[in-house]
Amino acid sequence: MIAPTYPKPRRRLVGASLLYSVSLFASLGVFLFGYDQGVMSGIITGPHFIRYFNAPGPIEVGTMVAVLEIGAFITSIAAGRVGDTIGRRGTLFIGGVVFTLGGAIQTFTGGYAMMVVGRVVSGFGVGLLSTIVPIYQSEISPPNHRGALACAEFTGNIFGYAFSVWIDYFCSFLDSNLAWRLPLLLQCIIGGVLAAGSLVMPESPRWLIDTDKDDEGLRVLADLHGGDIDNPVANAEFREIKEKVLFERQSGEGRSYAMLWRKYKRRVLLAMSSQAFAQLNGINVISYYAPRVFEQAGWIGRDAILMTGVNAIIYVLSTLPPWYLVDRWGRRPILLSGAGVMTLALCATGYWMYLDVPWTPNAVVVSVIVYNAAFGYSWGPIPWLYPPEIMPLTVRAKGVSLSTCTNWAFNYIVGAGTPWLQDVIQWRLYFMHAFFCICSGILVYFLYPETKGVPLEEMDTVFGEDSAKSFQERSTSSEYASFISTSREGANSYPPKPRERPDGPGEVSWLGRVFRYGATASSSYHPIENEELAPLNSDDHDGRQESGHRGMRSEDYTKNITSIVAFRTLLVSPV
């Protein structure tokens, strides 16, 4: 008699594998943004494109390129409310679908007006993606690796840009309208992959806990800690997030944009300024119009696109050092050093164009490459990392939406104005953006606090808010007291025990079993079991800032959490 055989259970992604896999896939959202930035820079100089659109002038070209930012501006404002309502994962799905639709309209356009409409529709998708991806990334990342993961995400953005530039270069050899239609078609395929994949990605555990889906939120945290629902660090992390949510609710101030501006004005202004200066520092003069810049310097036709491709490769490589440096040096040193190098590179670019000597083309290429590398290392990734870091959970989506819409507003101003300024003020344009680089460095030096290694739930202390007073208010809150008393009733009563995953066939799809509740870490989570664990509470906050990764070992961590819960229980217990 032959023994029956059973299908092998599929392996679930947990721990570090889950975190990195989901982070990589979410980065497709910013890859699309980068691809869309670069793809237009190459096709607008192609002869078939120019002939098809009847030799558009600088204003028409600027509008066609920059109108995407109008759509992105609109949906980046709406993304705050959408992200809070349907979740981070649902917003990713909608953004991917809308971007794909816009790409299809551009690919099969019949004229200038239809191309502009397609760019606006794609902008709607980009606005949603560019707002929600940084939020999602920050909410699934441990504090001591949060900067590195955000910088890796930005590398995906620049890889998308570089990929599109080389696609433009190779398609420029096609002697038909496919030379510009094919690059536009590829963005539809990538957008479709993102939309489909978002359906099986896990939801942010912070959003789940904030919307009272506690069992699902704890399940995600447990999976990020290796899959054990009884993991003490996952349970302690759950309690910290839930405490913060309850305290914010107890304040009774709501979650409106008016409350955000009134209570967190400094944070909002810093987040918005970081995105504004990322554009005013001149990156889109290069990203959108690099071939035109090189043509002005003396590189003609396909050679200008080739130089853009070489520049793009170095641009990608420049985004790699922050993976290591951002959680060791911190945010401020990187921004300050980047602003200084960009100032010098932009001044050199303008100076060589002013001289207009035989070696100007080569000198301009070198200057532009240095500028792009400095931006890719500093003002490229940090403005996408900083806003979701400094915003509290209850208004994070709305705060980041304001910073992102600022990015798109200034993106449009720079993108639409550059072709005209290149013709009118010519080499002086680069000195203008060098001045903005100087201003951004001054702003960072005097106003930007350092956030390296700080858990998201402890960011209040960075901005000098009265944590002792907040703790007293929280300890006397009736809702918080109920939460603590519930947690005393038994080791397994709170946090809640999630429902067991069904093992029978047909109850959960295979994709659901592979990616079930996938990926989010709170600020104090470390995905590697043997790594030292950072404490959740602020007692060791200064030490964590100095070391960037030191913390207590697991057994000490558990004792500390137990003593903290016991102490808080005494505060809310009747005498």
Side-chain angles (χ1 to χ4, degrees):
M1 181 177 179
I2 300 176
T5 59
Y6 300 96
K8 293 182 179 179
R10 293 183 181 272
R11 181 184 176 187
R12 272 192 314 118
L13 290 176
V14 294
S17 299
L18 178 60
L19 173 66
Y20 298 142
S21 297
V22 175
S23 298
L24 180 64
F25 194 82
S27 294
L28 276 179
V30 291
F31 177 93
L32 284 173
F33 167 33
Y35 185 92
D36 198 82
Q37 276 185 308
V39 73
M40 292 299 292
S41 70
I43 65 177
I44 59 177
T45 59
H48 294 286
F49 182 89
I50 293 173
R51 190 182 308 114
Y52 188 85
F53 290 99
N54 300 317
I59 299 298
E60 291 176 298
V61 171
T63 300
M64 184 186 299
V65 171
V67 75
L68 176 138
E69 277 76 50
I70 295 178
F73 175 83
I74 294 171
T75 52
S76 63
I77 296 177
R81 191 172 299 277
V82 173
D84 283 341
T85 303
I86 67 174
R88 303 354 181 180
R89 185 175 61 178
T91 308
L92 276 173
F93 172 74
I94 294 175
V97 170
V98 174
F99 184 90
T100 302
L101 176 62
I105 295 173
Q106 293 176 65
T107 302
F108 301 104
T109 182
Y112 180 83
M114 190 174 176
M115 172 64 83
V116 170
V117 171
R119 295 284 292 168
V120 173
V121 174
S122 285
F124 290 153
V126 167
L128 292 172
L129 294 173
S130 61
T131 301
I132 212 65
V133 170
I135 295 173
Y136 185 85
Q137 184 67 70
S138 71
E139 291 184 346
I140 69 170
S141 302
N144 299 322
H145 300 289
R146 188 171 61 236
L149 288 171
C151 290
E153 174 189 299
F154 182 74
T155 298
N157 175 275
I158 305 308
F159 181 72
Y161 167 75
F163 182 74
S164 70
V165 170
W166 283 102
I167 289 294
D168 285 345
Y169 177 72
F170 289 117
C171 288
S172 68
F173 290 93
L174 299 175
D175 191 18
S176 69
N177 285 330
L178 285 176
W180 58 271
R181 290 191 190 271
L182 185 58
L184 293 174
L185 177 63
L186 287 179
Q187 64 184 338
C188 302
I189 298 172
I190 302 168
V193 171
L194 175 64
S198 66
L199 296 175
V200 294
M201 290 172 63
E203 183 55 85
S204 161
R206 281 184 167 85
W207 181 82
L208 290 170
I209 295 170
D210 189 39
T211 53
D212 294 324
K213 298 178 176 65
D214 294 343
D215 56 345
E216 297 178 39
L218 179 58
R219 179 72 266 170
V220 175
L221 292 174
D223 282 350
L224 286 166
H225 285 281
D228 182 9
I229 196 62
D230 295 319
N231 185 291
V233 181
N235 280 266
E237 185 174 352
F238 171 89
R239 284 193 292 271
E240 184 187 30
I241 298 171
K242 191 64 179 181
E243 288 174 28
K244 186 70 174 179
V245 169
L246 293 176
F247 173 63
E248 292 292 340
R249 288 180 188 173
Q250 190 264 338
S251 66
E253 291 185 311
R255 304 183 177 201
S256 66
Y257 282 101
M259 186 282 295
L260 169 66
W261 181 256
R262 182 174 60 254
K263 186 174 181 180
Y264 301 107
K265 181 184 296 185
R266 182 189 173 194
R267 303 195 201 191
V268 173
L269 289 175
L270 290 179
M272 294 173 69
S273 68
S274 68
Q275 289 284 18
F277 275 106
Q279 302 306 315
L280 291 174
N281 286 351
I283 184 57
N284 279 335
V285 176
I286 308 302
S287 294
Y288 284 159
Y289 302 107
R292 285 174 61 97
V293 173
F294 292 133
E295 282 185 344
Q296 284 185 328
W299 298 91
I300 305 302
R302 188 175 292 123
D303 289 340
I305 302 177
L306 178 62
M307 289 299 101
T308 304
V310 173
N311 171 62
I313 292 176
I314 299 175
Y315 193 8
V316 171
L317 296 177
S318 73
T319 66
L320 300 180
W323 292 23
Y324 177 82
L325 297 176
V326 71
D327 289 317
R328 289 165 175 80
W329 287 7
R331 286 54 163 158
R332 282 169 49 88
I334 291 177
L335 289 174
L336 289 170
S337 57
V341 176
M342 286 191 298
T343 300
L344 297 175
L346 286 170
C347 289
T349 302
Y351 177 71
W352 290 118
M353 286 189 172
Y354 165 73
L355 289 181
D356 194 19
V357 292
W359 57 81
T360 287
N362 292 332
V364 167
V365 168
V366 172
S367 299
V368 168
I369 286 175
V370 171
Y371 167 81
N372 253 156
F375 182 87
Y377 140 85
S378 59
W379 283 88
I382 304 300
W384 293 104
L385 162 66
Y386 203 68
E389 276 191 325
I390 64 177
M391 292 295 172
L393 172 62
T394 52
V395 289
R396 181 169 295 134
K398 291 183 175 65
V400 174
S401 74
L402 289 178
S403 70
T404 305
C405 76
T406 302
N407 168 79
W408 292 115
F410 282 87
N411 205 316
Y412 176 78
I413 293 170
V414 174
T418 291
W420 180 76
L421 291 173
Q422 284 175 327
D423 289 344
V424 175
I425 65 175
Q426 299 176 348
W427 55 269
R428 300 172 186 85
L429 171 66
Y430 305 96
F431 287 96
M432 180 185 77
H433 287 295
F435 169 74
F436 286 123
C437 290
I438 295 172
C439 293
S440 67
I442 294 173
L443 187 69
V444 170
Y445 184 81
F446 287 103
L447 296 178
Y448 279 46
E450 184 57 69
T451 58
K452 177 187 69 174
V454 181
L456 298 181
E457 279 67 44
E458 295 181 17
M459 203 60 67
D460 292 351
T461 60
V462 174
F463 289 87
E465 297 181 7
D466 191 350
S467 57
K469 180 180 177 182
S470 297
F471 179 77
Q472 282 187 341
E473 292 175 353
R474 178 166 38 180
S475 299
T476 56
S477 163
S478 59
E479 189 176 5
Y480 180 76
S482 174
F483 171 79
I484 291 296
S485 63
T486 303
S487 68
R488 287 185 301 175
E489 293 175 2
N492 297 323
S493 60
Y494 210 90
K497 277 283 190 181
R499 294 182 297 272
E500 293 296 325
R501 296 184 185 83
D503 296 324
E507 296 183 69
V508 180
S509 67
W510 65 271
L511 287 173
R513 286 196 298 273
V514 173
F515 290 95
R516 181 79 170 179
Y517 295 122
T520 312
S522 104
S523 47
S524 54
Y525 149 73
H526 281 249
I528 302 174
E529 294 180 8
N530 295 327
E531 188 174 354
E532 291 183 339
L533 300 171
L536 289 171
N537 289 274
S538 58
D539 299 340
D540 194 45
H541 173 65
D542 295 335
R544 269 183 288 122
Q545 281 192 307
E546 292 175 4
S547 67
H549 67 277
R550 288 199 309 267
M552 294 177 288
R553 295 192 181 276
S554 179
E555 59 270 17
D556 298 328
Y557 181 88
T558 306
K559 292 177 183 177
N560 186 49
I561 291 297
T562 304
S563 62
I564 290 170
V565 173
F567 173 69
R568 293 180 178 177
T569 302
L570 289 174
L571 289 178
V572 299
S573 298
V575 178

